[in-house]
Amino acid sequence: MPGAGTAPEEAPPEIAEVLEPGTTGGGKRLSPSRLYLRRFARNKPALVGLILFVLLVLFSVFGRYLTHWDHEEADFTALSVAPGVGGHLLGTNGAGNDVYAQLVHGLGRSLIIAVTVSLLTTAIAGLFGTTAAYFGGKVERAMLGFVHFLLILPSFLIIALVGTHYRGDWQVLVVVLTLFGWMLTARVIWSLATSLREREYVMAARFMGVSPIRTIIRHLVPNIGSLLIVTFTLGVASTVQSETALSFIGFGVKQPDVSLGSMLADGQNTLSTAPWLFYMPAALVVLLTVAMALIGDGLRDALDPTSQSGGRA
């Protein structure tokens, strides 16, 4: 038995990580959300990505107030002028459209598409994967067969045909990217959820007569929440790249609307005469992709209890 003057023993590392700073084993424990927040805050690259993403969002929302030009308005007295000439902060394109105004609108349009598609695909994949895992048997085989069928379809050709038919309507682009963007994630979620369906709380819900949909939403989906969060974050970056690629080759957003991809497509032909028309939207695409990748890595490390990348909370 230790003497009266003996200092209290230090809490083990795995326990100390979830205690309030300055406390020992008998201190107040952190809630999971606060623990994840502290681990994320210790990850400097993730914070840089978050700050960069917030700045990009603020630019897309409030950047229009820094110019009197609209993204559809053309200045026929200033065609393909360099940045700073004729009252155009970042110059104009060959049609006389203000590049700054188009960047603001294009970034906003790309963000709306990316966030919407990533949110929808994550929700569909989460519900589909957990439902297949919960029921098992013939239902599981049928649902996985449907996923495998969609995976072998030439989705790029279908997206191209639909995009061409509807002349670049971004709402249609969101629907098509969502329809062909959830299958791989659903299969990953299914493989993880198969280990959860045998847990005690799921079995207890079955025996108590809880409806399948309630069990799936209340017990299965929350237990893969960390995977869904990371999937959504990284999905934003991948959707930006998909939308940019489709718009770049002419199957995405088209005039009079504009996105970062359509700006890249317009600027590729003027690299030697007006390089700013290509490099400025390209810079925003790179910044947005890097920001979401850093945030996704930070969330993955913060939500993974075995990771030390974010440091001790």
Side-chain angles (χ1 to χ4, degrees):
M1 185 174 181
T6 304
E9 295 184 0
E10 293 290 335
E14 62 273 12
I15 297 177
E17 186 175 358
V18 297
L19 298 178
E20 290 282 7
T23 64
T24 57
K28 181 181 178 182
R29 291 180 179 273
L30 289 173
S31 64
S33 58
R34 293 185 64 188
L35 173 64
Y36 299 149
L37 181 60
R38 289 194 178 191
R39 286 173 61 85
F40 183 85
R42 292 290 184 92
N43 193 319
K44 293 183 180 179
L47 286 181
V48 172
L50 179 61
I51 293 172
L52 182 57
F53 177 72
V54 171
L55 291 177
L56 290 173
V57 172
L58 292 177
F59 176 72
S60 67
V61 174
F62 300 106
R64 69 190 67 180
Y65 300 111
L66 300 180
T67 181
H68 63 276
W69 294 100
D70 185 77
H71 73 281
E72 296 183 0
E73 186 179 358
D75 184 2
F76 297 107
T77 64
L79 304 180
S80 295
V81 299
V85 177
H88 298 277
L89 181 63
L90 298 180
T92 62
N93 59 15
N97 302 117
D98 186 77
V99 175
Y100 174 85
Q102 291 212 326
L103 280 176
V104 173
H105 182 82
L107 176 60
R109 177 64 69 234
S110 294
L111 280 172
I112 291 174
I113 294 173
V115 172
T116 304
V117 170
S118 184
L119 183 63
L120 291 175
T121 53
T122 302
I124 295 172
L127 290 175
F128 194 95
T130 52
T131 300
Y134 175 83
F135 286 103
K138 295 181 179 179
V139 174
E140 182 181 58
R141 290 193 294 272
M143 295 180 73
L144 291 180
F146 177 68
V147 168
H148 295 157
F149 171 75
L150 291 179
L151 286 174
I152 65 175
L153 286 178
S155 57
F156 178 80
L157 293 179
I158 297 175
I159 293 174
L161 289 173
V162 174
T164 303
H165 178 74
Y166 286 95
R167 301 183 181 276
D169 189 344
W170 70 270
Q171 292 97 336
V172 176
L173 184 62
V174 166
V175 173
V176 175
L177 288 176
T178 300
L179 290 178
F180 293 98
W182 60 272
M183 291 86 71
L184 287 175
T185 304
R187 208 180 188 290
V188 172
I189 291 173
W190 162 80
S191 64
L192 178 62
T194 52
S195 63
L196 298 177
R197 66 185 176 190
E198 304 299 332
R199 296 290 179 88
E200 293 80 0
Y201 49 84
V202 177
M203 300 300 296
R206 287 177 182 266
F207 293 141
M208 293 173 64
V210 180
S211 65
I213 186 63
R214 186 179 180 88
T215 303
I216 291 169
I217 295 177
R218 292 286 299 275
H219 297 294
L220 290 181
V221 172
N223 281 281
I224 58 172
S226 59
L227 174 62
L228 295 178
I229 293 173
V230 175
T231 299
F232 166 74
T233 306
L234 297 179
V236 173
S238 63
T239 305
V240 167
Q241 295 173 346
S242 299
E243 183 274 326
T244 300
L246 289 171
S247 297
F248 184 80
I249 60 179
F251 297 138
V253 177
K254 297 180 181 179
Q255 296 290 346
D257 202 355
V258 64
S259 70
L260 295 179
S262 63
M263 292 187 68
L264 289 173
D266 293 339
Q268 66 173 329
N269 298 321
T270 59
L271 278 173
S272 58
T273 57
W276 62 88
L277 298 180
F278 181 87
Y279 289 119
M280 288 181 181
L284 288 184
V285 171
V286 171
L287 290 176
L288 182 56
T289 303
V290 170
M292 298 311 300
L294 292 176
I295 294 174
D297 289 342
L299 287 173
R300 182 185 57 200
D301 293 335
L303 297 172
D304 183 4
T306 64
S307 174
Q308 297 295 327
S309 299
R312 295 275 175 81

